[in-house]
């Protein structure tokens, strides 16, 4: 367990400042250039990298987890160091440097993110410790997410890319050094040459499973529309905070922190009520309410740009995080119940890929849509569209399927 705890600490020191820097980078890129196209580009690259995670997961299965993790963190350190040195000699290129670091990290995350989700089993000596090991990983990820929002607030307040990069560089260096104290795990016995065809075959098998699952098939069009609207709105939040609430410096940081804290509150609420869940009501209700929250953000800022409206905006993002967290937990639990235990991983991976396939398009479209329509009105329209498609899940055809799996939560 000591090896695992050291690896978790290393991952924590890598993820925390990086998450904060990426949040700051979106804000900084728009604040300096007032060009939403740059923010859209960064978001699109991150979404494309997320879709390629299936390849990253396959690669991580072929190598020693610790050795691969050290290599990826070393590559991240090199890219950050190059960006830092360039910024020292060319401070006028700060936006380009910030974008370079974010893009390089997105590419590395294609492999790094699936790797960190899979290293726990490789670092424990007894399979009975797996649940405890996964709890350590989950706890560290949750803490890193919360704290990174606070660190992002500091980065935005200081607004010095060089200082932020130096902090990131030092943290990643410590993360790399920590891994040197861990005895590497052995490469999997089945490791061999990387075969792209094998990856694609596995993904196609997952798609076939999805095609036979009525619950997922019915949710695909709704998920695609909801995800498109959400990611357009989310990528426009730096511009929204700077232009709509330019007199209130705390709005962007408030949105980021509120969304993160809301997600954690939602998970805590679910842990208290999980034995009494009626998924046929909870899923549609949470899906609809999170959409209402974004519509309220738009209509509130349309009516007034006062301090009250700024606070309403942050409160709505807090509520969005709560409803989104509960919906995600319940829905994916139902998906797990609707699939064979032998195919759950394949099914979940295929579902996440299908649901996310619209995300790069949404992030790319945030720029033209943000220029065509005033941001408060656009946020309201997209939020209203989300509401209209979400209420479809109250229809009998959805209700019957959800009720079929409600025994998952029975006492």
């Amino acid at each position: 367990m000591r090896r695992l705890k050291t690896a978790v600490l290393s991952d924590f020191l890598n993820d925390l400042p990086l998450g904060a820097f990426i949040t700051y980078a979106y804000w900084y890129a728009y604040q300096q250039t007032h060009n939403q196209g740059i923010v859209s580009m960064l978001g699109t690259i991150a979404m494309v990298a997320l879709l390629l995670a299936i390849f990253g997961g396959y690669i991580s299965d072929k190598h020693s987890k610790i050795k691969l993790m050290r290599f990826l963190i070393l590559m991240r350190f090199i890219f950050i160091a190059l960006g830092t040195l360039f910024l020292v000699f060319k401070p006028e290129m700060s936006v380009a440097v910030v974008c370079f670091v974010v893009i390089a990290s997105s590419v590395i995350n294609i492999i790094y993110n699936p790797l960190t989700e899979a290293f726990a089993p490789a670092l424990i000596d007894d399979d009975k410790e797996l649940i405890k090991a996964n709890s350590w990983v989950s706890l560290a990820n949750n803490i890193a997410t919360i704290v990174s929002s606070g660190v992002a607030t500091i980065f935005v307040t200081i607004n010095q890319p060089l200082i932020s990069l130096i902090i990131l560089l030092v943290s990643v260096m410590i993360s790399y050094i920590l891994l040197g104290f861990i005895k590497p795990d052995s490469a999997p016995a089945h490791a061999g040459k990387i075969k792209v065809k094998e990856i694609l075959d596995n993904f196609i098998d997952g798609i076939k499973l999805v095609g036979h699952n009525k619950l997922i098939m019915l949710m695909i069009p709704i998920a695609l529309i909801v995800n498109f609207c959400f990611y357009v709105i989310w990528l426009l939040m730096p511009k929204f905070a700077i232009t709509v609430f330019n007199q209130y410096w705390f709005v962007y940081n408030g949105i980021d922190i509120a969304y993160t804290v809301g997600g954690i509150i939602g998970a805590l609420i679910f842990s208290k009520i999980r034995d009494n869940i009626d998924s046929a009501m909870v899923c549609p209700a949470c899906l609809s309410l999170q959409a209402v929250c974004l519509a309220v953000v738009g209509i509130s800022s349309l009516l007034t740009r006062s301090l009250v409206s700024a606070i309403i905006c942050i409160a709505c993002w807090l509520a969005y995080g709560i409803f989104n967290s509960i919906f995600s937990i319940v829905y994916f639990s139902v998906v797990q119940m609707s699939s064979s235990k032998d195919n759950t991983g394949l099914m979940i991976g295929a579902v996440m890929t299908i649901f996310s396939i619209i995300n790069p398009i949404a992030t790319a479209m945030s720029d033209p849509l943000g220029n065509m329509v005033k941001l408060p009105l656009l946020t309201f329209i997209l939020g209203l569209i989300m509401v209209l498609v979400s209420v479809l899940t109250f229809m009998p055809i959805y209700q019957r399927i959800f009720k079929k799996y409600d025994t998952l939560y029975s006492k």
Side-chain angles (χ1 to χ4, degrees), residues 6-29:
T6 304
V8 167
L9 178 59
S10 172
D11 180 48
F12 178 84
L13 292 173
N14 177 80
D15 282 351
L16 190 158
L18 182 62
F21 184 81
I22 291 174
T23 300
Y24 166 64
Y26 287 139
W27 178 87
Y28 182 78

Side-chain angles (χ1 to χ4, degrees), residues 199-368:
I199 304 175
L200 295 177
D201 287 344
N202 287 339
F203 179 68
I204 291 171
D205 288 341
I207 296 296
K208 289 178 180 177
L209 290 173
V210 168
H212 291 93
N213 190 304
K214 192 174 182 181
L215 172 63
I216 299 172
M217 291 300 293
L218 285 171
M219 284 298 296
I220 286 175
I222 292 176
L224 292 178
I225 295 172
V226 168
N227 282 354
F228 177 85
C229 294
F230 170 79
Y231 278 102
V232 170
I233 293 173
W234 184 249
L235 259 291
L236 285 169
M237 278 301 104
K239 181 177 181 180
F240 186 91
I242 290 172
T243 58
V244 177
F245 293 113
N246 61 304
Q247 69 272 42
Y248 304 116
W249 61 269
F250 59 85
V251 170
Y252 179 65
N253 291 322
I255 290 171
D256 182 59
I257 293 173
Y259 179 48
T260 302
V261 172
I264 295 166
I265 292 174
L268 291 174
I269 291 173
F270 174 79
S271 69
K272 299 296 183 182
I273 64 173
R274 64 179 182 271
D275 293 332
N276 300 303
I277 286 291
D278 178 356
S279 62
M281 290 303 297
V282 170
C283 279
C286 287
L287 193 62
S288 301
L289 287 170
Q290 70 183 40
V292 169
C293 290
L294 297 186
V296 171
V297 170
I299 195 67
S300 173
S301 53
L302 266 175
L303 296 175
T304 175
R305 300 186 178 186
S306 64
L307 177 60
V308 172
S309 182
I311 294 173
I312 289 174
C313 174
I314 295 171
C316 283
W317 276 105
L318 176 70
Y320 181 94
I322 294 172
F323 295 131
N324 179 259
S325 178
I326 295 174
F327 168 79
S328 297
I329 294 171
V330 176
Y331 179 73
F332 279 101
S333 295
V334 174
V335 169
Q336 289 174 346
M337 285 296 294
S338 68
S339 64
S340 167
K341 289 184 179 180
D342 295 334
N343 298 318
T344 300
L346 204 59
M347 175 82 79
I348 295 295
V351 170
M352 293 181 72
T353 300
I354 293 171
F355 283 9
S356 302
I357 204 164
I358 199 72
N359 297 359
I361 300 173
T363 53
M365 288 297 294
S366 68
D367 181 30

Side-chain angles (χ1 to χ4, degrees), residues 28-42:
Y28 182 78
Y30 186 81
Q31 191 257 353
Q32 290 292 309
T33 66
H34 290 275
N35 183 351
Q36 180 62 28
I38 296 176
V39 180
S40 297
M41 175 197 68
L42 295 177

Side-chain angles (χ1 to χ4, degrees), residues 1 3-5 8 116-117 119-141:
M1 189 62 74
R3 286 199 306 163
L4 175 77
K5 291 179 180 179
V8 167
T116 55
E117 292 295 330
F119 68 58
L123 297 179
I124 57 175
D125 300 318
D126 187 346
D127 288 343
K128 294 179 181 179
E129 296 180 328
L130 184 58
I131 294 176
K132 185 178 180 181
N134 283 328
S135 69
W136 273 95
V137 175
S138 177
L139 177 63
N141 287 339

